[in-house]
Amino acid sequence: MEAALGKASRAGGLVVCGSQTLEQSLDIDADFLITDLAPVDVLLQRFGRLHRHDRARPEGFEQPRAVIALPENGLASLTKPSFFNGLGRWSEGGIYMDLAGLEATRRLIGAHPVWKIPAMNRMLVERATHPRTLEALTQQMGESWVADRQGLEGLSLAESAAGRRLRLDRAMPFETLEFPDYDEHVATRLGAQGPLLRRGGGRASRIKSPGWRVRC
């Protein structure tokens, strides 16, 4: 992807359909962006892939522009709860689950159709993520929104409790930690095969990492 859209890529037309993985960790440079609605901080990450480098632009794309596709009938139907295009949640979780934050972002888009980045970053993030703002918006939207937010908070508390049960005591020496008696590859965030964690007798014995991961 970086070879096709990176700083050293050749000029020419190219249409890329991608997931939210493209918004992070990749040095890609696009002339124009079409994206679904997402939380404001996520949108700012995506906008960071527009006109990322100083280079010649095709006619009509001299200025960075993005089109944000909004749900045609708003977000109220997602309070059931339900899931659509990455928005909302199913019973076990979701991707962008905070409907109040999404609604605040949707309103910001309507109130400010032109965003000046980075000058407006702080205002945008505060108005779409501040807890008091989101709580007031939830109350304003009605009972179904309040119930959905309570469900989201319950899910967050359950995940936190599960995490506390599984966490490791950092004060314990690494070699004393107990592991299943088999080898396992540790995958990277992007799904690539990472280092091999070898275990012997139920304890971690060594980590074998590919050479490209080693930095001196």
Side-chain angles (χ1 to χ4, degrees), residues 4 8 104 138 147 160 168 179-180 211:
T138 300
S160 297
L168 299 175
F179 293 93

Side-chain angles (χ1 to χ4, degrees), residues 37-41 75 97-108 124 127-130 133-135 137-138 145 149 152:
L37 177 65
V40 67
D41 54 324
L75 301 172
M97 299 184 288
D98 187 350
L99 295 186
L102 291 168
E103 175 63 17
T105 301
R106 188 189 69 81
R107 295 186 180 193
L108 279 173
L124 293 168
R127 292 191 183 182
T129 63
H130 196 285
T133 300
L134 299 186
E135 179 61 29
L137 179 57
T138 300
W145 287 70
R149 191 156 191 84
L152 181 60

Side-chain angles (χ1 to χ4, degrees), residues 168-179 184 186 195-208:
L168 299 175
D169 185 354
R170 297 181 63 181
M172 294 178 62
F174 182 73
E175 63 272 10
T176 66
L177 299 177
E178 298 293 329
F179 293 93
E184 181 176 339
V186 181
L196 175 64
L197 179 62
R198 293 194 177 279
R199 307 180 179 108
R203 294 183 178 179
S205 55
R206 63 192 179 96
I207 296 178
K208 181 180 180 181

Side-chain angles (χ1 to χ4, degrees), residues 108-131:
L108 279 173
I109 294 168
H112 304 278
V114 177
W115 291 8
K116 296 181 179 180
I117 307 301
M120 294 175 63
N121 282 17
R122 180 171 180 175
M123 180 275 290
L124 293 168
V125 171
E126 287 184 350
R127 292 191 183 182
T129 63
H130 196 285

Side-chain angles (χ1 to χ4, degrees), residues 128-171:
T129 63
H130 196 285
R132 292 181 182 176
T133 300
L134 299 186
E135 179 61 29
L137 179 57
T138 300
Q139 296 294 331
Q140 175 190 339
M141 296 300 290
E143 293 182 2
S144 63
W145 287 70
V146 172
D148 179 79
R149 191 156 191 84
Q150 290 173 344
L152 181 60
E153 291 173 351
L155 181 63
S156 177
L157 290 173
E159 290 177 345
S160 297
R164 286 193 295 271
R165 289 196 301 269
L166 297 174
R167 68 183 178 184
L168 299 175
D169 185 354
R170 297 181 63 181

Side-chain angles (χ1 to χ4, degrees), residues 8-97:
S9 60
R10 297 180 179 179
L14 182 65
V15 176
V16 176
C17 298
S19 69
Q20 64 266 35
T21 303
L22 297 180
E23 73 201 23
Q24 296 182 5
S25 305
L26 292 176
D27 184 14
I28 57 177
D29 182 349
D31 299 315
F32 180 68
L33 172 68
I34 300 175
T35 175
D36 286 318
L37 177 65
V40 67
D41 54 324
V42 174
L43 290 179
L44 291 173
Q45 284 277 8
R46 295 178 185 180
F47 296 162
R49 272 60 194 168
L50 281 170
H51 288 227
R52 190 175 180 86
H53 299 296
D54 184 13
R55 59 195 302 177
R57 302 290 168 181
E59 183 178 355
F61 296 91
E62 294 84 1
Q63 297 296 322
R65 292 187 298 134
V67 172
I68 304 173
L70 304 177
E72 185 176 0
N73 298 315
L75 301 172
S77 63
L78 301 179
T79 61
K80 294 180 180 179
S82 60
F83 182 78
F84 176 75
N85 274 13
L87 310 180
R89 60 188 172 91
W90 54 90
S91 57
E92 295 83 10
I95 302 175
Y96 303 127
M97 299 184 288

